[in-house]
């Protein structure tokens, strides 16, 4: 923000982040069942969010995206007056924007002090003015399907969601159906709905988290891990995604063990690297990665050797073998030579950072971790933050 004080985007991003943190701190229970410290944590996060969001909207008056998190704040605080003011401004700037109207409808649900009559009236008025917003008329049935009174009645809930979809296609309706179908064990049908939700709303983390749950329930650990990682990159504070992580990491390690036992070394390492992205520093992941990486390349067969990307695995194998003998000075030239030929290889920077770290060259280690992070290696980002926090604490 210091580099771009007139840019609205950093303020919007930081403000949205703090709104998400506020909801994470509050939890999902009703107010009467929510602890005072949880509510206080929510308020503190919102106090940090609102100035950033207000500034973002002031810097870019047409940035209606700022309205969504501001509406979420007003809904959580029960501030109907501010919610109406934010929505009126957003609606004036963008008369047919679907997202801001969907968020506004969430605030009209009975759980937030509204009613189905209010929801229906709003949806009908909006769809008359803008026929392409006809799907809004399905929101009341969508919310009814989530009522605790139909929690154990899947047929009733699925019927309500079908009614919601009859009003129009919307990702939240598909996502709700995916969750219901997963709960009944109809995993193939659930996956179809989740795929549709991802197609409709590829920028939402929750669609990836739900598809990851379905894939994990089907023991498809690789795709489950990829969806979970993508979702966490979109929203790392999401409680649902974070709760899913331990089980998926454990599944990836088990799948890697099976692949390794079957002689598929490259696939085993790929699964373990994915697990490392999800759980940086996990000792079980590190132990298995070392074990598989140091297994003989020539023992895996011609097919597996053909899958090995250039000589990365060979250098990695030599690295781990030398590291067992604490011969780190001999490892560094191997990675230097590899990266000279492959300067965009994120995993190689991650591996070399460990060598620098053991050679007590913290600046070089941090530089490599940041480069790995820039190249999309989540583990590099996490380890860089750990080193920076440790240095700040030490100072």
């Amino acid at each position: 923000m210091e580099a771009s004080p007139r840019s609205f985007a950093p303020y919007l991003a930081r403000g949205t982040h703090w709104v998400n943190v506020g909801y994470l701190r509050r939890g999902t229970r009703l107010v009467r069942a929510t602890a005072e410290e949880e509510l206080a944590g929510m308020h503190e996060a919102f106090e940090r969010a609102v100035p950033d969001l207000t500034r973002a909207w002031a810097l870019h008056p047409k940035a209606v995206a700022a309205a969504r998190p501001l509406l979420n704040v007003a809904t959580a605080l029960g501030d109907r007056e501010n919610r109406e003011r934010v929505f009126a401004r957003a609606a004036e700037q963008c008369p047919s924007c679907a997202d801001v109207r969907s968020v506004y409808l969430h605030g009209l649900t009975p759980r937030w002090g509204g009613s189905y009559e209010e929801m229906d009236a709003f949806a009908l008025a909006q769809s008359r003015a803008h026929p392409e917003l006809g799907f809004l008329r399905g929101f009341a049935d969508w919310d009814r399907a989530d009522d605790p009174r139909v929690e154990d009645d899947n047929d009733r809930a699925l019927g309500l969601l079908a009614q919601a979809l009859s009003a129009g296609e919307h990702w939240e309706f598909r996502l709700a159906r995916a969750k219901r179908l997963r709960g009944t064990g109809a995993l193939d049908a659930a996956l179809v709905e989740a795929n549709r939700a991802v197609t409709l709303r590829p920028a939402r983390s929750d669609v990836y988290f739900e598809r990851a749950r379905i894939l994990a329930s089907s023991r498809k650990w690789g795709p489950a891990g990829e969806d979970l990682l993508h979702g966490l990159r979109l929203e790392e504070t999401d409680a649902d995604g974070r709760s899913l992580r331990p089980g998926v990491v454990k599944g990836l390690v088990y799948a890697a063990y099976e692949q390794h036992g079957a002689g598929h070394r490259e696939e085993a390492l790929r699964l373990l690297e994915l697990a490392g992205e999800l759980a940086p520093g996990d000792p079980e992941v590190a132990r298995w990665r070392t074990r598989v990486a140091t297994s003989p390349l020539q023992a895996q067969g011609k097919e597996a050797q053909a899958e090995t990307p250039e000589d990365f695995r060979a250098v990695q194998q030599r690295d781990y073998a030398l590291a067992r003998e604490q011969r780190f000075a001999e490892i560094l030239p191997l990675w230097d030579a590899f990266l000279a030929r492959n300067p965009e290889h994120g995993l190689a920077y991650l591996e070399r950072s460990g060598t620098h770290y053991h050679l007590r060259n913290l600046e070089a280690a941090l530089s490599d971790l940041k480069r790995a992070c820039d190249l999309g290696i989540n583990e590099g980002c996490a380890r860089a933050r750990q080193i920076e926090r440790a240095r700040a604490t030490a100072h």
Side-chain angles (χ1 to χ4, degrees):
M1 293 184 186
E2 293 177 1
S4 305
R6 299 299 301 170
S7 174
F8 80 98
Y11 292 101
L12 177 59
R14 189 170 68 178
T16 301
H17 166 76
W18 279 112
V19 173
N20 292 333
V21 170
Y23 271 86
L24 177 65
R25 289 176 176 177
R26 183 201 182 283
T28 58
R29 295 185 297 273
L30 296 174
V31 172
R32 62 177 177 269
T34 303
E36 286 297 323
E37 57 267 24
E38 292 173 323
L39 292 173
M42 177 191 74
H43 280 274
E44 191 272 335
F46 287 171
E47 286 170 3
R48 301 178 74 166
V50 170
D52 276 345
L53 295 169
T54 303
R55 182 165 176 76
W57 213 353
L59 288 169
H60 189 0
K62 292 186 178 181
V64 180
R68 295 197 296 267
L70 285 170
L71 285 171
N72 284 328
V73 169
T75 296
L77 297 178
D79 188 346
R80 292 182 69 107
E81 181 180 345
N82 191 44
R83 188 181 70 200
E84 295 301 323
R85 183 166 52 249
V86 170
F87 177 72
R89 178 182 171 186
E92 181 181 359
Q93 291 177 345
C94 188
S96 60
C97 283
D99 283 356
V100 73
R101 285 160 173 77
S102 297
V103 175
Y104 180 80
L105 264 172
H106 282 246
L108 294 181
T109 57
R111 76 191 68 185
W112 292 112
S115 69
Y116 292 131
E117 290 74 20
E118 286 181 278
M119 295 179 74
D120 287 336
F122 174 81
L124 182 59
Q126 294 296 317
S127 61
R128 281 177 174 170
H130 305 284
E132 69 274 18
L133 299 178
F135 74 91
L136 296 175
R137 292 180 289 109
F139 264 87
D141 284 326
W142 165 79
D143 191 70
R144 288 186 182 98
D146 197 39
D147 190 299
R149 288 171 292 186
V150 298
E151 185 175 355
D152 298 323
D153 190 346
N154 282 304
D155 289 340
R156 171 69 175 147
L158 288 169
L160 286 166
L161 292 170
Q163 287 177 210
L165 281 164
S166 70
E169 186 82 327
H170 182 61
W171 68 272
E172 288 180 279
F173 306 162
R174 293 291 180 187
L175 183 62
R177 279 183 60 82
K179 291 179 179 179
R180 279 287 177 175
L181 289 165
R182 173 173 56 82
T184 68
L187 298 179
D188 290 341
L191 186 58
V192 170
E193 296 290 345
N195 287 339
R196 185 61 184 152
V198 169
T199 300
L200 290 168
R201 195 54 181 239
R204 286 287 306 202
S205 62
D206 34 1
V207 296
Y208 294 99
F209 294 143
E210 177 54 31
R211 191 166 69 177
R213 286 192 181 277
I214 295 166
L215 291 165
S217 297
S218 303
R219 300 179 63 80
K220 297 175 180 177
W221 298 112
E226 290 164 2
D227 267 356
L228 177 57
L229 181 60
H230 187 73
L232 288 169
R233 283 173 172 163
L234 290 171
E235 184 45 68
E236 64 178 353
T237 61
D238 189 278
D240 187 40
R242 296 169 90 175
S243 69
L244 185 56
R245 182 160 44 192
V248 171
V249 170
K250 185 176 180 180
L252 285 166
V253 172
Y254 180 75
Y257 162 79
E258 288 189 318
Q259 291 293 326
H260 181 57
H264 303 148
R265 180 177 183 275
E266 182 62 29
E267 178 60 16
L269 285 169
R270 188 188 72 80
L271 291 168
L272 290 167
E273 281 156 2
L274 180 55
E277 290 279 277
L278 288 166
D282 186 292
E284 183 71 1
V285 174
R287 183 175 70 83
W288 271 101
R289 187 156 56 185
T290 299
R291 178 175 176 178
V292 175
T294 54
S295 63
L297 278 169
Q298 64 272 20
Q300 304 303 315
K302 294 180 180 179
E303 181 181 348
Q305 287 187 42
E307 295 172 359
T308 303
E310 210 194 32
D311 57 338
F312 173 75
R313 295 303 184 200
V315 177
Q316 185 185 49
Q317 182 187 47
R318 184 65 177 152
D319 174 332
Y320 288 15
L322 290 169
R324 286 178 174 178
E325 301 174 16
Q326 306 289 302
R327 294 160 62 183
F328 299 108
E330 297 176 45
I331 299 172
L332 193 57
L334 301 176
W335 287 121
D336 289 344
F338 178 82
L339 283 166
R341 299 190 302 275
N342 304 275
E344 303 297 311
H345 202 296
L347 284 172
Y349 284 102
L350 180 67
E351 296 287 6
R352 190 173 70 172
S353 73
T355 304
H356 281 308
Y357 184 84
H358 286 292
L359 290 171
R360 303 184 187 281
N361 189 343
L362 202 60
E363 288 302 323
L366 185 57
S367 176
D368 273 355
L369 289 171
K370 288 181 175 179
R371 180 63 177 145
C373 180
D374 290 341
L375 290 168
I377 305 301
N378 192 59
E379 190 170 358
C381 306
R383 290 187 180 181
R385 288 194 295 268
Q386 288 173 353
I387 289 178
E388 288 177 328
R389 282 196 297 265
R391 288 201 310 182
T393 302
H395 290 320

